[in-house]
Amino acid sequence: MTMITVKQAYTGAVLAELKMHDSAQVEQMLSNAQKRHQAGRLSETQRIEILQKLADLVESEHEDFSRLIANEGGKPIRDARVEVTRAISGIRIAIRELDNITGEEIPMDYTPAGAGHKAHTILEPIGVVVAVSAFNHPLNLAIHQVIPAIATGCPVIIKPASLTPLCTLRLAELIQQAGLPVGWVQVALLSNENAEKLVTDSRVAFFSFIGSAKVGWHLKSKLAYGTRCALEHGGVAPLIFDEYADEEGFVNGVVKASMYHSGQVCVSVQRVYVPEKRAQDLAEKIATIAAKQVVGDAINENTDLGPLISPQATDRIEAWVNEAIASGAQLMTGGKRINAVSYAPTVLLNPAKDAKVSTQEVFAPVVCIYGYKTLEEAVEWANSLDVSFQSSVFSDNAETAMTIAKKLQASAVMINDYTTFRVDWMPFAGRKHSGYGIGGIGYSMRDMLEHKMIVTKR
């Protein structure tokens, strides 16, 4: 039987050896989930009670989850604690959203054809949900994919990232402790081949994916007829700086928003456009702060930047930065590998517009600064890629900021805040190649429900 070895992200020490599920077990999971759906969902009261208990259980293991996130995923322990707090909040958001999701009465007497009829809609669970998750937020992403299914009464099978499955496995255990019957939530540890078998099965009603665009679009193209889906991929997030009084706050914020979790976030600030006459100065100031970041084992309290998720990721970013420098980028700080899984926080000034660091998602502690001549030029560059997620603009001129916000091609534009801003009840989605559908707890819950209209002739 094939095994998954889960390692401590920085040291490589073995955290767990897990048996991978085979194709027969995939079939059994799908059968179990389908039977659960056909048997009918638990009452709303039961689901709310389960979610309330689950929130309390996760809260009781707050520090344990935080350490698990730091160890298996490499997120610094201080940030891992924030992730657990968000996860607990996400469970409670789902409970609150149940009050906002209702059917409606449909007027029937607009024309003589509808006269004498009364109609209303009810919402029913869509069916079996399959979720494929990513490594970078191993608890909170599972919350965003699993909890909406529990709240709406859909059985769910989740495949966590093979490098970071432990948070999801523990969450599933706590869900059962909270009272959800066995079979409603199943965790699948799968090879790519068996993951595709799971995702593309005709019994899957809804597919939730968080990960690379290449994999997400491939799986979408193979879904069974009728399967609905939501895909969340990454971006190459742009930030346009105009004039902003709190320059020190801005500089510190750029470092945090680009280097948080070593840049392994789908909305990390990657491209910063500043007036040409200010580019060198601001790049130097950003580099000064970036160079002070402590890189090390995520479990250490003083670590600012943990490891990248794998040596292969470090190899990739080393090659990309070297390419950018060779093609003319000015290295302001960093630009070097620290060890097998760590890369120094790096600031590049004016890399080529066609360099990989300018056109593809870095997913590493690298931020690029570009000088622009006009705001129109900055907007054109910001919109020039086939990926589009969140973006931001910094300006003390409210009219200028709003004008730029309207021109940016993004699903969300932050004014005087960073592309990383998110609360878990807001819509969260990519445009262009960056995704399909809308995430966010309540929005995912709506995706997992189907409208049924009931018409009565009086």
Side-chain angles (χ1 to χ4, degrees), residues 263-316:
Q264 298 171 119
V265 179
C266 61
V267 287
S268 286
V269 171
Q270 184 170 328
R271 297 177 291 155
V272 180
Y273 298 100
V274 302
E276 194 171 62
K277 63 183 179 180
R278 300 294 321 282
Q280 183 77 32
D281 176 52
L282 281 173
E284 288 175 358
K285 290 177 177 176
I286 292 168
T288 297
I289 302 300
K292 295 177 182 177
Q293 302 303 293
V294 176
V295 181
D297 192 339
I299 204 67
N300 296 335
E301 294 288 345
N302 68 332
T303 293
D304 296 310
L305 305 186
L308 294 171
I309 193 60
S310 68
Q312 292 75 23
T314 317
D315 292 341
R316 175 185 59 80

